Amino acid sequence: MNRKKLQKLTDTLTKNCKHFNTFEVNCLIKLFYNLVGEGTERQGTVIGLDRNAFRNILHVTFGMTDDMIMDRVFRGFDKDNDGCVNVTEWINGLSLFLRGSLEEKMKYCFEVFDLNGDGFISKEEMFHMLKNSLLKQPSEEDPDEGIKDLVEITLKKMDHDHDGKLSFADYEQAVREETLLLEAFGPCLPDPKSQMEFEAQVFKDPNDFNDM
């Protein structure tokens, strides 16, 4: 990508980006093209990170291990659902992922947890995610029973209108009262350590950037 094109892209993306300045956007664009690989600007093909490449970044860089959640995070970034995270989605996604306000993060986490996209987190979805994210304990008891209990406890704490499922309003109220509940159903944001390491590594001279 030539300098002029990069400059134009940086300006456009910085204008629409709340949480990064021009330098940061520039670094992230360069990182993006590093990750995607040069020479991918063929006409008519989508340039971007596919699901596997993106999940690899989530795993290696941000320490995520939960397949279901990583899949949902990918969908959260891939706004146009074309199976690839393009450079715009990359910048906008990371802006929220790394620097988002509580409001933005609540909206994002809720969408990650609302597996079927119907606007609610149902008991089934909670069960599914909690079963997935909890460590498998070798025990005599039926592990599903423990998870069902956990779902009931979670509902008691978060379901303010008592309709047996979580609306965004329920979720928002619960998270405002107790911020730890933001990622109640699985880690879908980077932990502070990974976030700081990523920023320290990326927002410096991009020439030092080796393959991730």
Side-chain angles (χ1 to χ4, degrees), residues 60-85:
V60 175
T61 310
F62 298 113
M64 293 193 175
T65 52
D66 184 329
D67 281 339
M68 184 196 290
I69 296 285
M70 287 196 285
D71 212 57
R72 300 293 304 161
V73 174
F74 173 77
R75 288 174 192 220
F77 271 66
D78 180 22
K79 291 287 182 209
D80 61 6
N81 293 322
D82 67 351
C84 255
V85 171

Side-chain angles (χ1 to χ4, degrees), residues 45-168:
T45 51
V46 177
I47 298 172
L49 298 162
D50 64 18
R51 188 179 302 255
N52 285 340
F54 186 78
R55 280 171 49 149
N56 193 41
I57 295 164
L58 291 178
H59 178 62
V60 175
T61 310
F62 298 113
M64 293 193 175
T65 52
D66 184 329
D67 281 339
M68 184 196 290
I69 296 285
M70 287 196 285
D71 212 57
R72 300 293 304 161
V73 174
F74 173 77
R75 288 174 192 220
F77 271 66
D78 180 22
K79 291 287 182 209
D80 61 6
N81 293 322
D82 67 351
C84 255
V85 171
N86 64 36
V87 69
T88 308
E89 291 168 339
W90 168 251
I91 301 288
N92 292 340
L94 283 175
S95 166
L96 185 152
F97 202 62
L98 297 168
R99 308 256 179 98
S101 64
L102 183 61
E103 274 71 21
E104 290 170 311
K105 285 181 173 169
M106 283 192 292
K107 216 166 153 308
Y108 156 82
C109 290
F110 187 83
E111 282 172 8
V112 166
F113 299 146
D114 175 12
L115 299 176
N116 66 358
D118 67 350
F120 293 97
I121 302 172
S122 66
K123 278 185 175 183
E124 291 73 28
E125 286 169 333
M126 285 180 214
F127 179 82
H128 220 53
M129 288 182 286
L130 290 170
K131 181 170 183 164
N132 209 42
S133 66
L134 292 171
L135 292 169
K136 310 283 179 278
Q137 299 293 348
S139 67
E140 298 300 304
E141 294 165 46
D142 175 11
D144 285 6
E145 282 310 308
I147 295 163
K148 281 179 186 151
D149 292 345
L150 196 54
V151 168
E152 291 306 326
I153 292 164
T154 309
L155 269 174
K156 204 170 258 174
K157 186 154 183 60
M158 296 177 81
D159 179 20
H160 292 286
D161 59 8
H162 308 297
D163 61 355
K165 56 188 176 183
L166 295 188
S167 63
F168 182 69

Side-chain angles (χ1 to χ4, degrees), residues 191-207:
D191 62 80
K193 186 171 170 282
S194 317
Q195 178 189 343
M196 276 169 61
E197 282 170 4
F198 177 79
E199 293 199 18
Q201 192 177 10
V202 179
F203 300 145
K204 60 176 187 185
D205 183 2
N207 299 330

